[in-house]
PDB file of all heavy atoms in Angstrom:
ATOM      1  N   PHE S  43       1.961  14.966 -13.007  1.00  0.00           N
ATOM      2  CA  PHE S  43       1.097  15.053 -14.183  1.00  0.00           C
ATOM      3  C   PHE S  43       0.520  16.450 -14.383  1.00  0.00           C
ATOM      4  O   PHE S  43      -0.305  16.640 -15.297  1.00  0.00           O
ATOM      5  CB  PHE S  43      -0.044  14.036 -14.082  1.00  0.00           C
ATOM      6  CG  PHE S  43       0.408  12.603 -14.106  1.00  0.00           C
ATOM      7  CD1 PHE S  43       0.029  11.737 -13.080  1.00  0.00           C
ATOM      8  CD2 PHE S  43       1.211  12.115 -15.121  1.00  0.00           C
ATOM      9  CE1 PHE S  43       0.435  10.411 -13.088  1.00  0.00           C
ATOM     10  CE2 PHE S  43       1.639  10.783 -15.127  1.00  0.00           C
ATOM     11  CZ  PHE S  43       1.246   9.938 -14.115  1.00  0.00           C
ATOM     12  N   LEU S  44       0.890  17.409 -13.560  1.00  0.00           N
ATOM     13  CA  LEU S  44       0.337  18.770 -13.723  1.00  0.00           C
ATOM     14  C   LEU S  44       0.563  19.279 -15.147  1.00  0.00           C
ATOM     15  O   LEU S  44       1.660  19.205 -15.663  1.00  0.00           O
ATOM     16  CB  LEU S  44       0.972  19.711 -12.699  1.00  0.00           C
ATOM     17  CG  LEU S  44       0.539  19.525 -11.239  1.00  0.00           C
ATOM     18  CD1 LEU S  44       1.417  20.340 -10.293  1.00  0.00           C
ATOM     19  CD2 LEU S  44      -0.935  19.904 -11.068  1.00  0.00           C
ATOM     20  N   GLY S  45      -0.518  19.746 -15.746  1.00  0.00           N
ATOM     21  CA  GLY S  45      -0.451  20.263 -17.115  1.00  0.00           C
ATOM     22  C   GLY S  45      -0.753  19.232 -18.190  1.00  0.00           C
ATOM     23  O   GLY S  45      -0.924  19.590 -19.363  1.00  0.00           O
ATOM     24  N   ALA S 137      -6.146  21.418  -4.079  1.00  0.00           N
ATOM     25  CA  ALA S 137      -6.334  20.035  -4.540  1.00  0.00           C
ATOM     26  C   ALA S 137      -5.821  19.886  -5.964  1.00  0.00           C
ATOM     27  O   ALA S 137      -5.752  20.849  -6.742  1.00  0.00           O
ATOM     28  CB  ALA S 137      -7.803  19.654  -4.466  1.00  0.00           C
ATOM     29  N   ILE S 138      -5.467  18.655  -6.299  1.00  0.00           N
ATOM     30  CA  ILE S 138      -5.034  18.333  -7.656  1.00  0.00           C
ATOM     31  C   ILE S 138      -6.232  17.716  -8.380  1.00  0.00           C
ATOM     32  O   ILE S 138      -6.826  16.742  -7.913  1.00  0.00           O
ATOM     33  CB  ILE S 138      -3.821  17.393  -7.649  1.00  0.00           C
ATOM     34  CG1 ILE S 138      -2.661  18.096  -6.910  1.00  0.00           C
ATOM     35  CG2 ILE S 138      -3.424  17.018  -9.067  1.00  0.00           C
ATOM     36  CD1 ILE S 138      -1.410  17.264  -6.800  1.00  0.00           C
ATOM     37  N   ASN S 139      -6.588  18.334  -9.518  1.00  0.00           N
ATOM     38  CA  ASN S 139      -7.772  18.001 -10.286  1.00  0.00           C
ATOM     39  C   ASN S 139      -7.386  17.501 -11.651  1.00  0.00           C
ATOM     40  O   ASN S 139      -6.502  18.076 -12.299  1.00  0.00           O
ATOM     41  CB  ASN S 139      -8.645  19.236 -10.476  1.00  0.00           C
ATOM     42  CG  ASN S 139      -9.124  19.904  -9.198  1.00  0.00           C
ATOM     43  OD1 ASN S 139     -10.297  19.909  -8.882  1.00  0.00           O
ATOM     44  ND2 ASN S 139      -8.207  20.517  -8.454  1.00  0.00           N
ATOM     45  N   GLY S 140      -8.066  16.485 -12.113  1.00  0.00           N
ATOM     46  CA  GLY S 140      -7.959  16.096 -13.526  1.00  0.00           C
ATOM     47  C   GLY S 140      -9.119  16.676 -14.309  1.00  0.00           C
ATOM     48  O   GLY S 140     -10.207  16.908 -13.766  1.00  0.00           O
ATOM     49  N   ASN S 141      -8.887  16.910 -15.586  1.00  0.00           N
ATOM     50  CA  ASN S 141      -9.950  17.360 -16.523  1.00  0.00           C
ATOM     51  C   ASN S 141     -10.547  18.691 -16.122  1.00  0.00           C
ATOM     52  O   ASN S 141     -11.769  18.858 -16.067  1.00  0.00           O
ATOM     53  CB  ASN S 141     -11.047  16.267 -16.561  1.00  0.00           C
ATOM     54  CG  ASN S 141     -11.988  16.485 -17.768  1.00  0.00           C
ATOM     55  OD1 ASN S 141     -11.611  17.079 -18.772  1.00  0.00           O
ATOM     56  ND2 ASN S 141     -13.228  16.003 -17.652  1.00  0.00           N
ATOM     57  N   VAL S 142      -9.699  19.666 -15.871  1.00  0.00           N
ATOM     58  CA  VAL S 142     -10.172  21.041 -15.601  1.00  0.00           C
ATOM     59  C   VAL S 142      -9.356  22.030 -16.419  1.00  0.00           C
ATOM     60  O   VAL S 142      -8.249  21.710 -16.905  1.00  0.00           O
ATOM     61  CB  VAL S 142     -10.050  21.415 -14.094  1.00  0.00           C
ATOM     62  CG1 VAL S 142     -10.999  20.566 -13.260  1.00  0.00           C
ATOM     63  CG2 VAL S 142      -8.629  21.273 -13.596  1.00  0.00           C
ATOM     64  N   ASN S 143      -9.916  23.226 -16.594  1.00  0.00           N
ATOM     65  CA  ASN S 143      -9.191  24.342 -17.238  1.00  0.00           C
ATOM     66  C   ASN S 143      -8.507  23.919 -18.537  1.00  0.00           C
ATOM     67  O   ASN S 143      -7.276  23.944 -18.657  1.00  0.00           O
ATOM     68  CB  ASN S 143      -8.177  24.934 -16.266  1.00  0.00           C
ATOM     69  CG  ASN S 143      -8.822  25.629 -15.108  1.00  0.00           C
ATOM     70  OD1 ASN S 143     -10.054  25.777 -15.050  1.00  0.00           O
ATOM     71  ND2 ASN S 143      -8.015  26.049 -14.129  1.00  0.00           N
ATOM     72  N   ARG S 146      -7.069  19.586 -18.493  1.00  0.00           N
ATOM     73  CA  ARG S 146      -5.717  19.323 -18.024  1.00  0.00           C
ATOM     74  C   ARG S 146      -5.723  18.956 -16.560  1.00  0.00           C
ATOM     75  O   ARG S 146      -6.717  19.133 -15.860  1.00  0.00           O
ATOM     76  CB  ARG S 146      -4.831  20.579 -18.208  1.00  0.00           C
ATOM     77  CG  ARG S 146      -4.693  21.028 -19.649  1.00  0.00           C
ATOM     78  CD  ARG S 146      -3.784  20.120 -20.431  1.00  0.00           C
ATOM     79  NE  ARG S 146      -3.789  20.422 -21.853  1.00  0.00           N
ATOM     80  CZ  ARG S 146      -3.088  19.741 -22.770  1.00  0.00           C
ATOM     81  NH1 ARG S 146      -2.318  18.730 -22.384  1.00  0.00           N
ATOM     82  NH2 ARG S 146      -3.160  20.065 -24.043  1.00  0.00           N
ATOM     83  N   VAL S 147      -4.598  18.427 -16.072  1.00  0.00           N
ATOM     84  CA  VAL S 147      -4.406  18.240 -14.649  1.00  0.00           C
ATOM     85  C   VAL S 147      -3.939  19.580 -14.085  1.00  0.00           C
ATOM     86  O   VAL S 147      -2.954  20.155 -14.574  1.00  0.00           O
ATOM     87  CB  VAL S 147      -3.349  17.157 -14.358  1.00  0.00           C
ATOM     88  CG1 VAL S 147      -3.119  17.022 -12.831  1.00  0.00           C
ATOM     89  CG2 VAL S 147      -3.772  15.813 -14.948  1.00  0.00           C
ATOM     90  N   GLN S 148      -4.651  20.062 -13.078  1.00  0.00           N
ATOM     91  CA  GLN S 148      -4.341  21.372 -12.527  1.00  0.00           C
ATOM     92  C   GLN S 148      -4.444  21.380 -11.014  1.00  0.00           C
ATOM     93  O   GLN S 148      -5.239  20.623 -10.424  1.00  0.00           O
ATOM     94  CB  GLN S 148      -5.316  22.436 -13.075  1.00  0.00           C
ATOM     95  CG  GLN S 148      -5.256  22.638 -14.586  1.00  0.00           C
ATOM     96  CD  GLN S 148      -4.018  23.375 -15.038  1.00  0.00           C
ATOM     97  OE1 GLN S 148      -3.406  24.104 -14.253  1.00  0.00           O
ATOM     98  NE2 GLN S 148      -3.646  23.204 -16.292  1.00  0.00           N
ATOM     99  N   ARG S 149      -3.677  22.245 -10.390  1.00  0.00           N
ATOM    100  CA  ARG S 149      -3.758  22.509  -8.953  1.00  0.00           C
ATOM    101  C   ARG S 149      -4.695  23.689  -8.760  1.00  0.00           C
ATOM    102  O   ARG S 149      -4.448  24.767  -9.285  1.00  0.00           O
ATOM    103  CB  ARG S 149      -2.391  22.769  -8.362  1.00  0.00           C
ATOM    104  CG  ARG S 149      -2.405  23.170  -6.903  1.00  0.00           C
ATOM    105  CD  ARG S 149      -1.024  23.585  -6.420  1.00  0.00           C
ATOM    106  NE  ARG S 149      -0.130  22.432  -6.236  1.00  0.00           N
ATOM    107  CZ  ARG S 149       0.994  22.269  -6.913  1.00  0.00           C
ATOM    108  NH1 ARG S 149       1.363  23.130  -7.862  1.00  0.00           N
ATOM    109  NH2 ARG S 149       1.777  21.208  -6.680  1.00  0.00           N
ATOM    110  N   LEU S 150      -5.770  23.504  -7.973  1.00  0.00           N
ATOM    111  CA  LEU S 150      -6.739  24.557  -7.737  1.00  0.00           C
ATOM    112  C   LEU S 150      -7.063  24.661  -6.251  1.00  0.00           C
ATOM    113  O   LEU S 150      -6.986  23.655  -5.522  1.00  0.00           O
ATOM    114  CB  LEU S 150      -8.048  24.291  -8.511  1.00  0.00           C
ATOM    115  CG  LEU S 150      -7.933  24.190 -10.028  1.00  0.00           C
ATOM    116  CD1 LEU S 150      -9.299  23.758 -10.610  1.00  0.00           C
ATOM    117  CD2 LEU S 150      -7.493  25.517 -10.645  1.00  0.00           C
TER     118      LEU S 150
END
Side-chain angles (χ1 to χ4, degrees):
F43 295 126
L44 288 170
I138 300 178
N139 301 247
N141 194 26
V142 294
N143 293 353
R146 299 286 172 181
V147 178
Q148 298 286 338
R149 175 186 286 118
L150 300 173

